[in-house]
Amino acid sequence: MVRVVKRSRPRIVIPICVGSNPIMHPNPIDIYKMKHYCAMPFNHVSVGNNGDYQICCIHPVPQEYKQNINQTSVDEWLQNPYLDEVKSAFAQDDPHPGCQRCWQQEASGVQSIRQVQAKEYKIIGAKPMQSKILHIEVAVGNLCNLSCVMCNEYNSSMILSENRQLSISVLDQREFTWSESAFENLQQIVDYKPRVIHLRGGEPMYNKRIFELLDHFPVEHAKNTLLHLSTNATVWTEQWQQVLSKFNTVRMMLSVDAVGSLAEYIRYPSKFDQVEHNIRAIVKNSNIRPVVHATVQNLNIMHIGNVIQWAKRMNIYLMLDLLVQPDYLEITNLPPVLKQQSIDHLSTVLAQDLEPHIQSEISAYKTALETAAFDQLRWQQFVDNVSRRDAVRKNSHRDFLKY
């Protein structure tokens, strides 16, 4: 496993959660003067891919208290006893046990999503212990047009379909079906006029229902709404441009982990030329604030300098996000020869003129690689998993990892 390295991260204006890693501030401010208080149960509505309401994207609800957007309105969710329990704990400045992810991160010196949110919620008008929906984060099913090698059935319908082909699927696509009632309940959430709307999938720009939701979004409300979209940038049309133009600010998290054929391998079956073409069109829109988000893993660690230089040429802010799941894709899961090649590559990258946050990340990756021991069983797990996908996709990871 990669050891935790305490380091600063860039300031990102929008509070968001990507995969299992929060985006962090270098200097979070505890605006509430309380040690354990979190604004999210009071000011945030989170809905997972399968429609389950959550306290936040890393705090699922215990089985006995679960409620789903297919059957439950947001007003009913706001009366959920478990939600009340979490609010009560924070109102008394007690650390709720369901928030272990944040407590563990903070104990290890890593800024948690709770700490990140403190300053952000002040910006959008949150007051301590005042229940008001200011921010919603909704994963509208798992409908996706890609089967990224590091993704899972919860976040990609194509991965689920491929897993069924490989006889390794654990979920049923019907679990991610949103009924008409679900979309009516989603509309009710939007009608609360939150200041921040974060939509993800799946691939939100591939989902016609998300397009319809935004197409019917009132112009006056859009002028005061910050819209966040996490996208693989494979879809960009004039219709999408028109819909997004009515929002005052749209933050787009553009998922690009590599360039050229390696990008197409990791985010199969995307075409990098099309992705780059779309991104060039996206950044021309004055209301869109793009951020390139690269998931750093063993497949791209030896080529990470390429995506750094690409983002620099495109003049787009780059955020490197270290992958933690599935763990067989962690950067340290490489045999000695490939690990040394990765260290050599990172040394070359560090000799370049880098932004401070990129310098910090690359230094941490290099240290992790230098100190990690080789685990033959975990490496074999990697080989087995990617090889069976290669057989279905008619490609090969060995085009990029020479062993």
Side-chain angles (χ1 to χ4, degrees):
M1 298 291 288
V2 178
R3 70 184 182 91
V4 175
V5 181
K6 185 176 181 180
R7 56 192 186 275
S8 62
R9 285 182 178 255
R11 183 178 187 276
I12 300 295
V13 177
I14 311 307
I16 49 180
C17 185
V18 181
S20 59
N21 291 333
I23 297 173
M24 305 169 184
H25 284 284
N27 297 300
I29 299 174
D30 187 358
I31 63 171
Y32 301 106
K33 310 299 182 184
M34 300 169 75
K35 185 177 181 180
H36 299 112
Y37 182 81
C38 179
M40 299 187 79
F42 298 90
N43 306 121
H44 178 82
V45 172
S46 177
V47 183
N49 302 76
N50 65 352
D52 282 349
Y53 287 98
Q54 306 168 105
I55 302 300
C56 75
C57 63
I58 58 173
H59 187 157
V61 174
Q63 185 62 42
E64 61 269 30
Y65 296 109
K66 280 186 181 295
Q67 289 181 299
N68 191 285
I69 198 170
N70 282 286
Q71 300 88 27
T72 306
S73 70
V74 67
D75 290 335
E76 293 174 293
W77 160 247
L78 294 175
Q79 303 301 315
N80 186 289
Y82 184 74
L83 178 60
D84 287 341
E85 175 191 314
V86 178
K87 287 182 179 180
S88 178
F90 287 136
Q92 299 175 59
D93 200 19
D94 292 332
H96 191 275
C99 303
Q100 284 301 312
R101 181 83 67 85
C102 281
W103 310 138
Q104 290 169 359
Q105 288 174 333
E106 292 169 24
S108 66
V110 175
Q111 295 172 35
S112 69
I113 192 172
R114 181 189 76 90
Q115 293 174 316
V116 174
Q117 298 288 7
K119 189 172 184 178
E120 302 297 352
Y121 275 98
K122 182 179 181 181
I123 292 172
I124 60 176
K127 297 180 179 179
M129 290 170 282
Q130 180 186 63
S131 293
K132 182 179 181 181
I133 298 176
L134 296 173
H135 174 216
I136 68 172
E137 181 176 8
V138 184
V140 186
N142 69 343
L143 182 64
C144 191
N145 59 341
L146 299 184
S147 50
C148 303
V149 69
M150 63 285 194
C151 201
N152 56 63
E153 297 180 2
Y154 285 95
N155 294 293
S156 172
S157 55
M158 282 194 66
I159 281 285
L160 195 154
S161 177
E162 184 174 88
N163 284 356
R164 289 179 64 85
Q165 186 177 353
L166 293 168
S167 300
I168 59 172
S169 62
V170 296
L171 299 172
D172 190 310
Q173 184 57 41
R174 289 172 293 184
E175 297 178 45
F176 301 95
T177 300
W178 282 44
S179 64
E180 288 303 317
S181 294
F183 285 103
E184 290 172 6
N185 289 330
L186 175 57
Q187 184 61 56
Q188 182 190 16
I189 299 173
V190 172
D191 289 343
Y192 269 91
K193 298 182 178 179
R195 294 290 306 280
V196 179
I197 296 178
H198 180 189
L199 298 174
R200 52 189 179 87
E203 170 49 46
M205 300 186 74
Y206 183 66
N207 191 322
K208 293 180 180 179
R209 296 304 297 263
I210 291 180
F211 178 86
E212 292 171 1
L213 175 74
L214 298 178
D215 190 32
H216 293 96
F217 204 91
V219 174
E220 288 304 311
H221 181 192
K223 289 179 180 178
N224 299 305
T225 301
L226 195 154
L227 176 66
H228 179 93
L229 293 173
S230 299
T231 177
N232 58 35
T234 58
V235 177
W236 181 253
T237 64
E238 182 178 342
Q239 290 77 15
W240 266 108
Q241 190 276 331
Q242 292 174 349
V243 164
L244 297 181
S245 66
K246 62 185 174 182
F247 288 87
N248 179 57
T249 304
V250 179
R251 177 168 291 277
M252 271 201 185
M253 188 68 70
L254 305 165
S255 299
V256 180
D257 317 296
V259 300
S261 58
L262 179 56
E264 295 173 353
Y265 177 85
I266 293 175
R267 294 192 176 267
Y268 177 85
S270 67
K271 299 300 179 185
F272 184 74
D273 286 347
Q274 184 63 54
V275 169
E276 185 176 59
H277 174 80
N278 290 345
I279 292 175
R280 290 186 186 279
I282 288 168
V283 300
K284 291 179 181 179
N285 295 271
S286 59
N287 68 322
I288 293 179
R289 306 290 182 265
V291 173
V292 170
H293 175 267
T295 301
V296 184
Q297 55 200 283
N298 58 5
L299 282 163
N300 65 358
I301 189 65
M302 281 187 287
H303 307 274
I304 202 65
N306 294 336
V307 76
I308 293 172
Q309 292 304 313
W310 177 83
K312 188 173 183 178
R313 290 194 302 272
M314 296 288 286
N315 195 29
I316 305 176
Y317 184 92
L318 172 66
M319 185 182 69
L320 300 177
D321 190 19
L322 189 64
L323 177 144
V324 293
Q325 289 292 334
D327 64 0
Y328 60 79
L329 289 174
E330 286 185 350
I331 61 170
T332 56
N333 189 27
L334 290 168
V337 172
L338 295 182
K339 189 179 295 184
Q340 187 58 52
Q341 291 176 12
S342 299
I343 293 169
D344 293 343
H345 174 71
L346 295 182
S347 297
T348 301
V349 172
L350 286 169
Q352 300 169 6
D353 182 21
L354 302 175
E355 294 292 331
H357 71 282
I358 298 295
Q359 180 93 17
S360 176
E361 292 285 348
I362 297 299
S363 295
Y365 302 160
K366 182 171 179 286
T367 299
L369 286 161
E370 290 171 338
T371 56
F374 176 54
D375 185 334
Q376 179 64 52
L377 290 178
R378 195 157 66 107
W379 171 248
Q380 191 60 49
Q381 184 185 14
F382 164 82
V383 172
D384 292 344
N385 276 279
V386 296
S387 294
R388 62 185 173 189
R389 294 200 187 279
D390 289 352
V392 171
R393 302 175 184 189
K394 309 301 182 186
N395 58 16
S396 177
H397 67 282
R398 299 190 72 158
D399 291 339
F400 313 101
L401 297 181
K402 307 293 185 180
Y403 66 93

